[in-house]
Amino acid sequence: TKVLHELKENGQKIVDLEALANHKGSAFGGMGQPPQRRQEMFENMLAQELSDVSIKMTEINGSKTINHQLSTVIYLEDESQRIGNLQIPMPLWYSMRKAPVFFVDIPFEERLGHIVQEYGKLDPEKLIDAIGRITQKLGNLNAKTAISLLNEGKIRESFDILLNYYDKFYFKSLHNRESINSLLHTISFESVNPANAKT
């Protein structure tokens, strides 16, 4: 998300799906967010965002004409098809799955520190409820350990387990898409600050 908004600051076209969905796209993504919109409202707002970044209004003899810019590049986060209770419309989802992927490679400890700062201040009971929702995928032992560490106030140690799970989940999802080798481009960052990108 930080990269998206840095791109916007530099004049690039973006659509922030998580902002439109009021959800950050994981079992923990709704925490600290406003209630999610209805699917219809989400799709209407998404359509408007896509329209705003992909067309240009020009004045010709006092009347407005819409010029479609089919070559416009739009940057979005590589989301799952579902963001919380909302679904990305299938035509857009299929387009996203065929688009180039810029993988932001940030050291594990940097990312861990970031999520501790962002999520560590949230209600521990809600964090525990979220862990409960992914227990089957996380594994009973990992879930039990993560919850126990939270109860002991060891937030970083608990989040270490969770981040390892999400890394494996995302890696698998990323490499399940068709032609990933030709679509994938890795960019190395030293920290979560986009200004610190190496390339």
Side-chain angles (χ1 to χ4, degrees):
T1 303
K2 286 178 177 287
V3 172
L4 276 186
H5 291 280
E6 185 77 11
L7 287 167
K8 185 177 181 179
E9 286 292 316
N10 285 278
Q12 300 298 318
K13 306 297 186 183
I14 73 158
V15 173
D16 188 341
L17 293 169
E18 292 183 356
L20 292 177
N22 289 337
H23 200 283
K24 295 182 179 179
S26 72
F28 304 84
M31 298 178 66
Q33 300 293 313
Q36 287 200 274
R37 301 176 172 92
R38 293 179 182 271
Q39 181 70 28
E40 183 179 5
M41 177 61 75
F42 170 67
E43 291 185 15
N44 287 340
M45 294 179 69
L46 176 56
Q48 183 62 55
E49 284 284 310
L50 290 170
S51 175
D52 287 346
V53 298
S54 64
I55 62 175
K56 180 180 180 181
M57 300 293 290
T58 57
E59 293 270 352
I60 299 178
N61 297 327
S63 62
K64 289 185 177 178
T65 303
I66 298 176
N67 293 329
H68 289 271
Q69 297 179 330
L70 300 178
S71 62
T72 298
V73 174
I74 303 171
Y75 291 94
L76 309 95
E77 280 191 71
D78 185 30
E79 302 285 354
S80 299
Q81 203 261 324
R82 258 185 114 74
I83 307 177
N85 295 322
L86 300 174
Q87 292 191 22
I88 297 172
M90 292 310 293
L92 175 59
W93 169 245
Y94 288 137
S95 294
M96 290 169 64
R97 297 293 287 181
K98 295 176 182 176
V101 179
F102 297 93
F103 179 80
V104 180
D105 185 17
I106 304 171
F108 182 88
E109 290 298 321
E110 286 290 327
R111 291 182 290 119
L112 179 58
H114 177 70
I115 64 168
V116 167
Q117 187 175 34
E118 186 171 354
Y119 288 94
K121 58 191 175 188
L122 299 174
D123 184 348
E125 287 303 316
K126 290 185 178 179
L127 290 169
I128 289 169
D129 287 345
I131 293 172
R133 291 195 291 274
I134 59 170
T135 293
Q136 188 172 0
K137 292 181 179 179
L138 184 60
N140 286 329
L141 181 58
N142 280 337
K144 185 176 179 180
T145 303
I147 289 170
S148 178
L149 288 166
L150 272 181
N151 285 328
E152 294 171 21
K154 296 179 179 178
I155 296 169
R156 190 178 186 92
E157 292 86 345
S158 177
F159 285 10
D160 186 299
I161 295 170
L162 300 172
L163 185 56
N164 267 297
Y165 157 73
Y166 275 108
D167 277 0
K168 290 174 185 174
F169 180 82
Y170 180 72
F171 184 82
K172 182 178 179 181
S173 173
L174 177 64
H175 286 84
N176 274 346
R177 78 182 64 198
E178 189 177 344
S179 305
I180 186 59
N181 290 334
S182 63
L183 296 173
L184 184 61
H185 309 274
T186 300
I187 304 172
S188 296
F189 281 32
E190 294 176 354
S191 75
V192 295
N193 184 349
N196 292 336
K198 293 179 184 175
T199 56

